[in-house]
């Protein structure tokens, strides 16, 4: 099995290289984040042994369970990439260096309150629903600039860029449109020169569409199934808007 994870990683890295060459980009400009939802620890250890250092979790509970066991690998960095409920903020800020999924002011306020208590700051990305799908989280593209401005008021939050999930099960062209839209929002926000807002990170592209994402300017791609194999739960378990909500 370890052999398989390692082989898969090689393949993904080669595909990243080719996508960078195709778009005239340097491979150093794209980070591979391994999405670990429902992935057992032994598979994560295999990825670490193969030299991987960046992991992303979707659920606060899974993050809490995995973190102690992963801590012995102190070069490993964790990001939070799933929908974050305000009542889970405390758990998440303990463990991660970047939250990809800040999609509403209320979440920004909850993060700020917790970070003030802990005397910490947190790097965040603002999640945008570029595919306009009802089933997806994310601020609408039309409200993105305003949300970034509101979040920039909190001195505990460092806005580092944007995140999106391309249209699921879509053609390359539809997905490309989502990624281009994120890029154009990045440009709009840069022009505003909001205080403490940097727009260097574009987190976009997953197993099925990361090559297109790289061509369109992704700086972090979030890859799970291409490396670890199929999960036993469907995507709707992670992205479903109708999931139990606290806010």
């Amino acid at each position: 099995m370890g052999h398989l994870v390692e082989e898969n990683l090689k393949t993904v890295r080669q595909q990243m290289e080719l996508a960078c060459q195709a778009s005239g980009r340097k491979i150093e400009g794209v980070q591979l984040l391994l999405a670990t939802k429902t992935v057992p620890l032994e598979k994560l250890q295999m990825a670490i042994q193969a030299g991987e250092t960046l992991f992303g979790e979707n659920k606060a509970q899974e993050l809490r369970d995995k973190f102690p066991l992963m801590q012995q690998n102190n070069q490993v960095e964790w990001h939070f990439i799933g929908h974050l409920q305000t009542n889970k903020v405390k758990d998440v800020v303990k463990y991660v260096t970047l939250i990809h999924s800040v999609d509403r002011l209320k979440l920004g306020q909850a993060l700020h309150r917790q970070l003030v208590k802990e005397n910490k700051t947190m790097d965040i990305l603002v999640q945008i629903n570029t595919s306009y799908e009802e089933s997806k989280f994310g601020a609408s593209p039309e409200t993105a600039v305003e949300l970034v401005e509101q979040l920039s008021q909190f001195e505990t939050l460092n806005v580092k860029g944007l995140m999106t999930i391309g249209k699921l099960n879509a053609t390359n062209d539809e997905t490309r449109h989502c990624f281009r839209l994120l890029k154009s929002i990045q440009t709009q926000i840069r022009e505003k020169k909001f205080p403490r807002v940097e727009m260097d990170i574009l987190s976009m592209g997953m197993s099925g569409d990361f090559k297109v994402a790289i061509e369109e300017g992704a700086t972090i791609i979030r890859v799970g199934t291409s490396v670890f194999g199929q999960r036993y739960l469907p995507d709707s378990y992670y992205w479903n808007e109708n999931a139990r909500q606290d806010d």
Side-chain angles (χ1 to χ4, degrees):
M1 191 164 74
H3 180 60
L4 197 61
V5 168
E6 205 172 333
E7 286 302 305
N8 289 347
L9 277 165
K10 273 196 192 116
T11 305
V12 167
R13 292 267 176 207
Q14 281 163 349
Q15 290 171 333
M16 288 171 71
E17 194 86 57
L18 289 170
C20 283
Q21 283 166 6
S23 48
R25 297 184 61 196
K26 288 193 164 73
I27 188 73
E28 298 76 46
V30 187
Q31 282 187 291
L32 172 60
L33 175 148
L34 295 179
T36 63
K37 55 192 180 188
T38 76
V39 175
L41 276 163
E42 60 269 24
K43 281 193 179 182
L44 302 188
Q45 299 289 11
M46 288 160 196
I48 291 171
Q49 278 155 8
E52 297 300 325
T53 56
L54 183 58
F55 296 85
E57 189 45 73
N58 276 69
K59 298 255 177 196
Q61 180 61 49
E62 279 197 58
L63 181 64
R64 222 171 35 218
D65 295 345
K66 284 172 183 159
F67 193 80
L69 291 153
M70 298 296 276
Q71 249 180 329
Q72 60 242 39
N73 303 286
N74 52 7
Q75 80 280 25
V76 169
E77 186 183 343
W78 282 91
H79 290 180
F80 192 78
I81 58 177
H83 177 65
L84 182 51
Q85 296 174 326
T86 51
N87 62 0
K88 297 287 196 302
V89 156
K90 201 160 137 184
D91 286 331
V92 168
V93 300
K94 253 194 218 109
Y95 303 121
V96 302
T97 56
L98 181 68
I99 297 171
H100 290 228
S101 47
V102 179
D103 59 356
R104 58 208 187 282
L105 182 58
K106 194 175 174 195
L107 177 58
Q109 290 164 330
L111 282 164
H112 176 65
R113 281 195 300 272
Q114 185 59 33
L115 291 161
V116 165
K117 271 187 214 163
E118 299 189 24
N119 197 19
K120 275 169 80 166
T121 60
M122 177 59 69
D123 292 350
I124 63 167
L125 305 180
V126 176
Q127 181 176 354
I128 312 296
N129 183 356
T130 52
S131 62
Y132 292 93
E133 290 171 282
E134 295 263 309
S135 61
K136 281 221 204 94
F137 295 106
S140 72
E142 293 72 22
T143 61
V145 177
E146 186 192 3
L147 178 58
V148 168
E149 184 174 22
Q150 290 170 326
L151 292 167
S152 73
Q153 314 295 317
F154 299 118
E155 68 276 14
T156 58
L157 301 178
N158 310 313
V159 181
K160 295 290 187 184
L162 305 171
M163 182 270 250
T164 200
I165 299 163
K167 196 169 185 183
L168 299 171
N169 312 317
T171 65
N172 274 356
D173 284 351
E174 288 175 301
T175 312
R176 196 178 293 279
H177 179 73
C178 294
F179 299 150
R180 283 196 176 158
L181 179 53
L182 198 71
K183 184 86 186 155
S184 73
I185 295 168
Q186 177 193 40
T187 305
Q188 279 174 50
I189 293 168
R190 273 192 175 145
E191 285 164 2
K192 298 280 188 193
K193 297 189 164 54
F194 294 130
R196 285 193 327 281
V197 170
E198 292 169 28
M199 275 287 125
D200 299 334
I201 298 177
L202 287 182
S203 167
M204 57 189 195
M206 306 196 305
S207 287
D209 55 22
F210 71 80
K211 295 186 279 296
V212 175
I214 289 172
E215 287 165 15
E216 296 303 331
T219 66
I220 298 177
I221 57 170
R222 309 179 305 274
V223 177
T225 47
S226 293
V227 170
F228 298 121
Q230 287 300 324
R231 293 184 306 274
Y232 61 88
L233 288 164
D235 267 343
S236 57
Y237 172 74
Y238 299 97
W239 307 124
N240 190 347
E241 192 80 300
N242 307 320
R244 190 173 57 78
Q245 293 268 276
D246 70 319
D247 47 4

